[in-house]
Coordinates of all heavy atoms in Angstrom, one line a residue:
A347 N -105.3 68.3 -38.5 CA -105.0 69.6 -39.1 C -105.9 70.7 -38.5 O -107.1 70.4 -38.3 CB -105.1 69.6 -40.6
V348 N -105.4 71.8 -38.2 CA -106.2 73.0 -37.8 C -106.1 74.0 -39.0 O -105.0 74.5 -39.3 CB -105.7 73.6 -36.5 CG1 -106.5 74.8 -36.1 CG2 -105.6 72.5 -35.4
I349 N -107.2 74.2 -39.6 CA -107.3 75.0 -40.8 C -108.2 76.2 -40.7 O -109.4 76.0 -40.3 CB -107.7 74.1 -42.0 CG1 -106.7 72.9 -42.2 CG2 -107.8 74.9 -43.3 CD1 -107.1 71.9 -43.2
G350 N -107.8 77.3 -41.1 CA -108.7 78.5 -41.3 C -109.0 78.6 -42.8 O -108.0 78.6 -43.6
V351 N -110.2 78.7 -43.2 CA -110.6 78.6 -44.6 C -111.2 79.9 -45.1 O -112.0 80.5 -44.4 CB -111.6 77.4 -44.9 CG1 -112.0 77.3 -46.3 CG2 -111.0 76.1 -44.4
V352 N -110.7 80.3 -46.3 CA -111.3 81.5 -47.0 C -111.8 81.0 -48.4 O -111.1 80.4 -49.1 CB -110.2 82.6 -47.2 CG1 -110.8 83.8 -47.9 CG2 -109.6 83.0 -45.9
L353 N -113.1 81.3 -48.7 CA -113.7 80.9 -49.9 C -113.9 82.1 -50.8 O -114.3 83.2 -50.3 CB -115.0 80.2 -49.7 CG -115.0 79.0 -48.7 CD1 -116.4 78.6 -48.4 CD2 -114.2 77.9 -49.3
S354 N -113.7 82.0 -52.1 CA -114.0 83.1 -53.0 C -115.1 82.7 -53.9 O -115.1 81.7 -54.5 CB -112.8 83.4 -53.9 OG -111.7 83.9 -53.1
Q355 N -116.2 83.5 -53.9 CA -117.4 83.2 -54.7 C -117.5 84.2 -55.9 O -117.1 85.3 -55.8 CB -118.6 83.4 -53.8 CG -118.7 82.5 -52.6 CD -119.9 82.8 -51.7 OE1 -120.5 83.8 -51.8 NE2 -120.2 81.8 -50.9
N356 N -118.0 83.6 -56.9 CA -118.2 84.4 -58.2 C -119.6 85.1 -58.1 O -120.6 84.5 -58.1 CB -118.2 83.4 -59.4 CG -118.5 84.0 -60.7 OD1 -118.6 85.3 -60.8 ND2 -118.5 83.2 -61.7
K357 N -119.6 86.4 -58.0 CA -120.8 87.2 -57.9 C -121.7 87.1 -59.2 O -122.9 87.3 -59.1 CB -120.5 88.7 -57.7 CG -119.9 89.0 -56.4 CD -119.6 90.5 -56.3 CE -119.0 90.9 -55.0 NZ -118.7 92.3 -54.9
E358 N -121.1 86.7 -60.3 CA -121.9 86.5 -61.5 C -122.4 85.1 -61.8 O -123.1 84.9 -62.8 CB -121.0 86.9 -62.7 CG -120.6 88.4 -62.7 CD -119.8 88.8 -63.9 OE1 -119.2 87.9 -64.6 OE2 -119.8 90.0 -64.2
S359 N -122.2 84.3 -60.8 CA -122.7 82.9 -60.9 C -124.2 82.9 -60.8 O -124.8 83.7 -60.0 CB -122.1 82.0 -59.8 OG -122.7 80.8 -59.7
S360 N -124.9 81.9 -61.5 CA -126.3 81.8 -61.3 C -126.7 81.3 -59.9 O -127.8 81.5 -59.5 CB -126.8 80.8 -62.4 OG -126.2 79.6 -62.3
S361 N -125.8 80.7 -59.2 CA -126.0 80.2 -57.9 C -125.8 81.2 -56.8 O -126.1 81.0 -55.6 CB -125.2 78.9 -57.6 OG -125.4 77.9 -58.6
F362 N -125.2 82.3 -57.2 CA -124.8 83.3 -56.2 C -126.1 83.9 -55.4 O -126.0 84.1 -54.2 CB -124.1 84.5 -56.8 CG -123.5 85.5 -55.8 CD1 -122.4 85.1 -55.1 CD2 -124.0 86.7 -55.7 CE1 -121.8 86.0 -54.2 CE2 -123.5 87.6 -54.8 CZ -122.4 87.2 -54.0
E363 N -127.1 84.1 -56.1 CA -128.3 84.6 -55.5 C -128.9 83.6 -54.4 O -129.4 84.0 -53.4 CB -129.4 85.0 -56.5 CG -129.1 86.2 -57.4 CD -128.9 87.5 -56.6 OE1 -129.7 87.7 -55.6 OE2 -128.0 88.2 -56.9
T364 N -128.8 82.4 -54.7 CA -129.3 81.3 -53.9 C -128.4 81.0 -52.7 O -128.9 80.9 -51.6 CB -129.6 80.1 -54.7 OG1 -130.4 80.4 -55.8 CG2 -130.4 79.0 -53.9
Y365 N -127.1 80.8 -53.0 CA -126.2 80.3 -52.0 C -125.1 81.3 -51.6 O -124.4 81.0 -50.6 CB -125.5 79.0 -52.5 CG -126.4 77.9 -52.9 CD1 -126.5 77.5 -54.3 CD2 -127.2 77.3 -52.0 CE1 -127.3 76.5 -54.7 CE2 -128.1 76.3 -52.4 CZ -128.1 75.9 -53.8 OH -129.0 74.9 -54.2
G366 N -124.9 82.3 -52.3 CA -123.8 83.2 -52.1 C -124.0 84.3 -51.1 O -125.1 84.5 -50.5
S367 N -123.0 85.2 -51.0 CA -123.1 86.4 -50.2 C -123.5 86.1 -48.8 O -122.9 85.3 -48.1 CB -124.0 87.4 -50.9 OG -124.1 88.6 -50.3
T368 N -124.5 86.8 -48.3 CA -124.9 86.7 -46.9 C -125.6 85.4 -46.6 O -125.7 84.9 -45.5 CB -125.9 87.8 -46.5 OG1 -127.0 87.8 -47.4 CG2 -125.2 89.2 -46.6
K369 N -126.1 84.7 -47.7 CA -126.8 83.4 -47.5 C -125.8 82.3 -47.2 O -126.2 81.2 -46.9 CB -127.6 83.1 -48.7 CG -128.7 84.1 -48.9 CD -129.5 83.8 -50.2 CE -130.6 84.9 -50.3 NZ -131.3 84.8 -51.5
T370 N -124.5 82.5 -47.4 CA -123.5 81.5 -47.1 C -123.5 81.1 -45.7 O -123.3 79.9 -45.4 CB -122.1 82.1 -47.5 OG1 -122.2 82.5 -48.9 CG2 -121.1 81.0 -47.4
D371 N -123.8 82.0 -44.8 CA -123.9 81.7 -43.4 C -125.0 80.6 -43.1 O -124.8 79.7 -42.2 CB -124.3 82.9 -42.5 CG -123.1 83.8 -42.3 OD1 -121.9 83.4 -42.4 OD2 -123.3 85.1 -42.2
T372 N -126.0 80.6 -43.9 CA -127.0 79.5 -43.7 C -126.5 78.2 -44.1 O -126.8 77.2 -43.5 CB -128.2 79.8 -44.7 OG1 -128.6 81.2 -44.5 CG2 -129.3 78.9 -44.5
Y373 N -125.5 78.1 -45.0 CA -125.0 76.8 -45.4 C -123.6 76.5 -44.9 O -122.9 75.6 -45.3 CB -124.9 76.8 -47.0 CG -126.3 77.0 -47.6 CD1 -126.7 78.2 -48.1 CD2 -127.1 75.9 -47.7 CE1 -127.9 78.4 -48.7 CE2 -128.4 76.1 -48.3 CZ -128.8 77.3 -48.8 OH -130.0 77.4 -49.3
K374 N -123.2 77.3 -43.9 CA -121.8 77.1 -43.4 C -121.5 75.8 -42.8 O -120.4 75.2 -42.9 CB -121.4 78.3 -42.4 CG -122.0 78.2 -41.1 CD -121.4 79.3 -40.2 CE -122.1 79.3 -38.9 NZ -121.7 80.3 -38.0
D375 N -122.5 75.2 -42.2 CA -122.3 73.8 -41.6 C -122.2 72.8 -42.7 O -121.4 71.8 -42.6 CB -123.5 73.4 -40.7 CG -123.5 74.2 -39.4 OD1 -122.4 74.6 -39.0 OD2 -124.6 74.5 -38.8
V376 N -122.9 73.0 -43.8 CA -122.7 72.1 -45.0 C -121.3 72.3 -45.6 O -120.6 71.3 -45.9 CB -123.8 72.4 -46.1 CG1 -123.6 71.5 -47.3 CG2 -125.2 72.1 -45.5
I377 N -120.9 73.5 -45.7 CA -119.5 73.8 -46.2 C -118.5 73.2 -45.3 O -117.5 72.6 -45.8 CB -119.3 75.3 -46.3 CG1 -120.3 75.9 -47.4 CG2 -117.9 75.7 -46.6 CD1 -120.3 77.4 -47.4
K378 N -118.6 73.3 -44.0 CA -117.7 72.7 -43.0 C -117.6 71.2 -43.2 O -116.6 70.6 -43.1 CB -118.0 73.1 -41.6 CG -117.7 74.5 -41.2 CD -118.1 74.8 -39.8 CE -117.9 76.2 -39.4 NZ -118.3 76.5 -38.0
D379 N -118.8 70.6 -43.3 CA -118.8 69.2 -43.5 C -118.1 68.7 -44.8 O -117.3 67.8 -44.7 CB -120.3 68.7 -43.6 CG -120.4 67.2 -43.7 OD1 -119.9 66.5 -42.8 OD2 -121.1 66.7 -44.6
I380 N -118.3 69.4 -45.9 CA -117.6 69.1 -47.1 C -116.1 69.3 -46.9 O -115.3 68.4 -47.3 CB -118.1 70.0 -48.3 CG1 -119.5 69.6 -48.6 CG2 -117.2 69.9 -49.5 CD1 -120.2 70.6 -49.6
I381 N -115.7 70.3 -46.3 CA -114.2 70.5 -46.0 C -113.7 69.4 -45.1 O -112.6 68.9 -45.4 CB -114.0 71.9 -45.4 CG1 -114.3 73.0 -46.5 CG2 -112.5 72.1 -45.0 CD1 -114.4 74.4 -45.9
N382 N -114.4 69.1 -44.0 CA -114.0 68.0 -43.1 C -113.8 66.7 -43.9 O -112.8 66.0 -43.7 CB -114.9 67.9 -42.0 CG -114.7 68.8 -40.9 OD1 -113.6 69.2 -40.5 ND2 -115.8 69.3 -40.3

């Protein structure tokens, strides 16, 4: 499968400051691994 993925994050989440917004780029390989 060839998939383009769009994720929606909750800005009010307690994890948003740590993992969300611009910090998501830091974890994109982990996200890709989970999706794979």
